[in-house]
Amino acid sequence: MKRFFAEDMRRALLQVKETLGPDAVIMSNKKVNGGVEIVAAIDGDAEPQAPQAAAPAAESAPQSDEAERYAEPANSLAEILARQAQHPAMQASNAEPKPAPEPQTEPVQAGAEATQVPSEPEVDIPDYVGGGSAAEIAELRAQIKGVQNLLQHQLSGLMKQEIEREEPMRALLTQRLMTMGVSERIADQIACFIPEGDDIEDSWEQSLQLLEGQLNTTHDDILTRGGAVALVGPTGVGKTTTIAKLAARYAQRHGSDSVALITTDTFRIGASEQLKVYGRIIGCPVKVANDAKELADAMLTLRDKRLILIDTAGMGQRDKRLSEQLAQLLQNKRLRIRPYLVLSSTSQTQVLNDTVKQFKTLPLAGCIFTKLDECLSLGESISVAIEQGLAVGYLTHGQQVPEDIRVADEHYMVTEAERLYDKSICSNVSDMPKSNWQAVQ
């Protein structure tokens, strides 16, 4: 079993054929940075395929020899395909000629009987060849699916063992990145660029640098550009507190008269009052909009402000009312609104991906990760930002306004993810019996 890298599939298949021969079997293929990766295998214990006999000799061979040759097990995939291609021709050449029909002595009958084809002799077909009941077919499909899953699991284990044997550095780096919370796909893509044989610490630093290069940030877009910005996201992620932090930071730089707040959250009890309290503390106006028309009127009233922050209602990504709320933001044509998706860094990877999928109906300008002080691993958030193509704008790490917010930085995020990883390793070691410490070290 070997791995091949090429710019496209055609070049990769040529490499497989030149290295392993035409009998190689493609085990898997996937896209990687710069091209494709193919895993191919060949049975080293198989005997070489015997040369085919000449055409005249094949024609003169008896039918029993042909049947015996096709009854023998094939040695390769190429031989199986060749047999399938030759089998119909063999049947046609070996078929016995049918005797000519006897001349008819009676006149042919007219009508349907004249065109009736003589019936073929009945053949005893097993029950499993014909169509069964719906329950039997469903059971057969379930069995086939089970065998398929088992083969995929075994193949995955063989591939991992092959990588650990031929590329131990890649396997080690992939495992460390996954332990840090990075998804398997991104971890494998990063580790495959690290050459084998280097020092483990140097290779780890190179991996972290490559991970930084995959991240994108908005470079303090909200506080430098201004304009109209709406924070959207599921309930409980901290949108209102984040808006207060951004408004307070902007007021410190440009004055409280240059920023305004609008809330469309009329579902949660006390939501508008909470934002009004923040507005009084900062010294900026606060408007409440119940629908798209009131939102447009409020933005028209506050058009002289350099920054307008819009707080939306927190809804689950599967809430039916979510589409209505997002449509309100898209209906406004007087002023372009830049939506930012607020995500909690404590959420599971599947929850984060599902949330981004539902909110991607909006032209998201970026995302904001909150609750970094509560998360145990930051690799999941990094993976979601990379895989979903989201630029990270800000990171929040507490409830204090406006202290607990910072501009997102690639190096800081990867360094924080590594710190949490090291902290979890030390915590696990401290919980072990002292007899196992030496093995870990």
Side-chain angles (χ1 to χ4, degrees):
M1 184 181 297
K2 291 185 177 295
R3 306 171 75 88
F4 299 88
F5 298 90
E7 296 179 359
D8 51 35
M9 185 63 69
R10 184 178 63 85
R11 291 186 175 88
L13 293 177
L14 289 176
Q15 293 182 17
V16 173
K17 185 176 181 182
E18 293 174 358
T19 306
L20 301 181
D23 296 338
V25 178
I26 305 301
M27 310 301 291
S28 69
N29 66 88
K30 64 180 180 179
K31 292 183 178 181
V32 297
N33 290 340
V36 297
E37 174 186 305
I38 285 182
V39 178
I42 188 171
D43 187 1
D45 298 332
E47 296 180 359
Q49 182 178 355
Q52 298 181 355
E59 294 176 358
S60 61
Q63 181 180 0
S64 60
D65 296 340
E66 290 287 343
E68 292 178 359
R69 185 167 68 87
Y70 277 89
E72 296 178 356
N75 294 326
S76 65
L77 178 61
E79 186 175 348
I80 294 175
L81 297 176
R83 289 185 182 184
Q84 292 178 352
Q86 296 175 3
H87 189 60
M90 184 193 73
Q91 290 180 346
S93 62
N94 294 333
E96 296 182 359
K98 296 182 179 180
E102 297 180 358
Q104 296 179 351
T105 58
E106 298 181 1
V108 180
Q109 298 180 0
E113 297 180 356
T115 59
Q116 184 176 2
V117 180
S119 60
E120 294 290 336
E122 296 183 358
V123 181
D124 186 13
I125 300 177
D127 295 337
Y128 61 84
V129 176
S133 63
E136 293 174 347
I137 295 176
E139 182 180 0
L140 180 60
R141 288 179 177 175
Q143 293 176 357
I144 295 175
K145 187 64 175 178
V147 174
Q148 181 183 7
N149 294 336
L150 179 60
L151 291 176
Q152 289 178 351
H153 176 72
Q154 292 179 344
L155 178 59
S156 176
L158 290 175
M159 291 177 60
K160 290 181 179 179
Q161 293 177 5
E162 184 69 15
I163 293 176
E164 292 176 357
R165 184 177 64 84
E166 293 190 352
E167 303 175 272
M169 181 64 70
R170 175 180 178 179
L172 178 61
L173 293 176
T174 301
Q175 184 61 38
R176 289 186 67 174
L177 288 170
M178 291 176 60
T179 307
M180 198 171 69
V182 180
S183 66
E184 183 178 2
R185 186 177 70 87
I186 296 179
D188 184 68
Q189 288 185 357
I190 290 176
C192 72
F193 285 100
I194 307 301
E196 293 287 333
D198 291 352
D199 181 71
I200 178 62
E201 295 302 328
D202 294 339
S203 300
W204 178 243
E205 290 298 328
Q206 294 179 32
S207 301
L208 296 180
Q209 292 176 6
L210 289 175
L211 186 60
E212 291 180 17
Q214 297 291 322
L215 275 170
N216 292 323
T217 58
T218 61
H219 305 289
D220 200 11
D221 175 71
I222 296 177
L223 300 184
T224 54
R225 288 180 55 187
V229 177
L231 298 193
V232 299
T235 180
V237 295
K239 296 186 297 297
T240 304
T241 307
T242 303
I243 277 188
K245 294 175 182 178
L246 292 172
R249 286 287 181 92
Y250 198 83
Q252 289 177 351
R253 296 183 185 181
H254 306 284
S256 58
D257 56 343
S258 60
V259 61
L261 306 179
I262 300 177
T263 178
T264 61
D265 188 359
T266 58
F267 301 98
R268 185 165 54 95
I269 298 175
S272 59
E273 286 74 11
Q274 181 183 5
L275 196 64
K276 289 179 180 179
V277 171
Y278 283 129
R280 286 196 298 268
I281 296 174
I282 298 172
C284 62
V286 178
K287 300 289 184 180
V288 179
N290 294 311
D291 52 29
K293 183 179 182 303
E294 292 185 5
L295 176 61
D297 294 340
M299 294 182 63
L300 182 62
T301 304
L302 302 172
R303 62 183 180 274
D304 59 327
K305 303 297 181 181
R306 298 176 59 180
L307 175 64
I308 301 175
L309 295 172
I310 304 172
D311 185 18
T312 60
M315 295 182 183
Q317 60 268 26
R318 301 182 183 181
D319 195 324
K320 296 181 179 179
R321 297 173 298 176
L322 177 62
S323 58
E324 301 177 0
Q325 177 178 307
L326 299 182
Q328 291 182 3
L329 297 177
L330 295 175
Q331 287 177 6
N332 192 292
K333 304 296 183 182
R334 300 180 182 179
L335 185 61
R336 178 175 176 268
I337 300 175
R338 304 197 312 274
Y340 271 73
L341 178 60
V342 183
L343 300 169
S344 173
S345 59
T346 60
S347 300
Q348 300 175 349
T349 303
Q350 294 181 351
V351 176
L352 292 174
N353 283 320
D354 187 46
T355 302
V356 176
K357 179 181 177 181
Q358 298 299 328
F359 281 91
K360 263 196 169 180
T361 55
L362 291 173
L364 296 176
C367 66
I368 299 174
F369 286 109
T370 61
K371 303 182 181 181
L372 264 69
D373 56 320
E374 301 178 13
C375 71
L376 300 177
S377 175
L378 195 57
E380 293 82 0
S381 301
I382 293 176
S383 297
V384 170
I386 295 174
E387 292 177 345
Q388 299 294 339
L390 287 176
V392 186
Y394 300 88
L395 306 171
T396 69
H397 46 85
Q399 296 293 324
Q400 298 183 16
V401 178
E403 291 83 3
D404 295 337
I405 188 173
R406 62 175 297 150
V407 179
D409 177 74
E410 301 91 340
H411 180 71
Y412 171 80
M413 293 182 65
V414 175
T415 303
E416 184 67 12
E418 183 186 19
R419 185 187 69 82
L420 294 174
Y421 163 74
D422 294 337
K423 183 179 178 181
S424 64
I425 294 297
C426 294
S427 176
N428 293 335
V429 171
S430 63
D431 294 337
M432 290 181 181
K434 293 185 178 180
S435 58
N436 295 342
W437 288 5
Q438 186 66 29
V440 174
Q441 294 176 354

